[in-house]
Amino acid sequence: MRILLALTMVSSMVLAGCGGLRDSRVNPANWFGKSVSRPVAAGPSETVNPLIPVKEESIFRRNKTEVYDGTPVDQITDLRIERTRDGAIIRVTGLSTRQGAFDVRLVSDSKGEPVNGVLSYKLMALQPDNTPQGPAVARTLHAAEFISTQTLAEARTIVVTGARNERRSTR
């Protein structure tokens, strides 16, 4: 009888301690799976005049805003989400149309905040027009972005979009 009572007490304490696993790294529901590639629908192209400033400067304040003139990378070949102690790192590999692309960035569509559980980015780079196409190894680009634990808790899907496809990873 004492063994049965002791076994019941120990099992009830172990079961009560399992409630904290919901938010831990041990729970597989909190891990992102492998990414999946999907084609991107062609959207309307925007024509922007680089000679017209977006924001006017005044004499009294000289805040210069940085303008990034990157264009979407042709294809997204790999998307990995690696967990860290303070959140996660999104690592993206892309393939540009021509070699010589530089200043590769992951640009957030929604200022780094998830919209309806979806955290979306575009892989952008400054790409010259007058370089040869070259082999795929010379056209491969890498970029990474850190996301905090708070942002990661609100996101169920991470999407990275290129010019021809997108990769998404869900949990």
Side-chain angles (χ1 to χ4, degrees), residues 74-85:
D74 188 42
Q75 296 177 29
I76 309 298
T77 57
D78 190 26
L79 168 64
R80 292 185 185 177
I81 291 103
E82 298 175 359
R83 295 291 301 239
T84 63
R85 184 174 46 113

Side-chain angles (χ1 to χ4, degrees), residues 37-40 74-77 160-167:
S37 178
R38 296 183 355 182
V40 173
D74 188 42
Q75 296 177 29
I76 309 298
T77 57
V160 178
T161 307
R164 294 197 311 170
N165 72 335
E166 71 179 17
R167 282 223 176 247

Side-chain angles (χ1 to χ4, degrees), residues 45-101:
S45 62
E46 298 179 11
T47 56
V48 178
N49 188 348
L51 299 176
I52 299 174
V54 176
K55 182 179 177 184
E56 290 194 26
E57 297 180 15
S58 99
I59 298 172
F60 301 109
R61 62 183 156 91
R62 293 269 185 186
N63 295 337
K64 294 194 176 198
T65 58
E66 180 184 342
V67 177
Y68 180 65
D69 294 329
T71 56
V73 172
D74 188 42
Q75 296 177 29
I76 309 298
T77 57
D78 190 26
L79 168 64
R80 292 185 185 177
I81 291 103
E82 298 175 359
R83 295 291 301 239
T84 63
R85 184 174 46 113
D86 299 328
I89 298 174
I90 302 172
R91 293 183 190 264
V92 181
T93 304
L95 195 63
S96 67
T97 310
R98 301 189 165 279
Q99 65 185 15

Side-chain angles (χ1 to χ4, degrees), residues 75-152:
Q75 296 177 29
I76 309 298
T77 57
D78 190 26
L79 168 64
R80 292 185 185 177
I81 291 103
E82 298 175 359
R83 295 291 301 239
T84 63
R85 184 174 46 113
D86 299 328
I89 298 174
I90 302 172
R91 293 183 190 264
V92 181
T93 304
L95 195 63
S96 67
T97 310
R98 301 189 165 279
Q99 65 185 15
F102 61 99
D103 197 10
V104 183
R105 297 182 187 180
L106 273 173
V107 179
S108 175
D109 293 340
S110 59
K111 297 178 182 151
E113 295 297 321
V115 177
N116 296 329
V118 177
L119 190 59
S120 59
Y121 291 94
K122 285 185 182 176
L123 184 62
M124 310 277 274
L126 297 176
Q127 304 179 47
D129 294 332
N130 55 357
T131 57
Q133 184 173 4
V137 174
R139 297 180 288 135
T140 302
L141 306 170
H142 302 279
E145 182 78 19
F146 173 78
I147 16 177
S148 66
T149 306
Q150 291 82 10
T151 305
L152 195 60

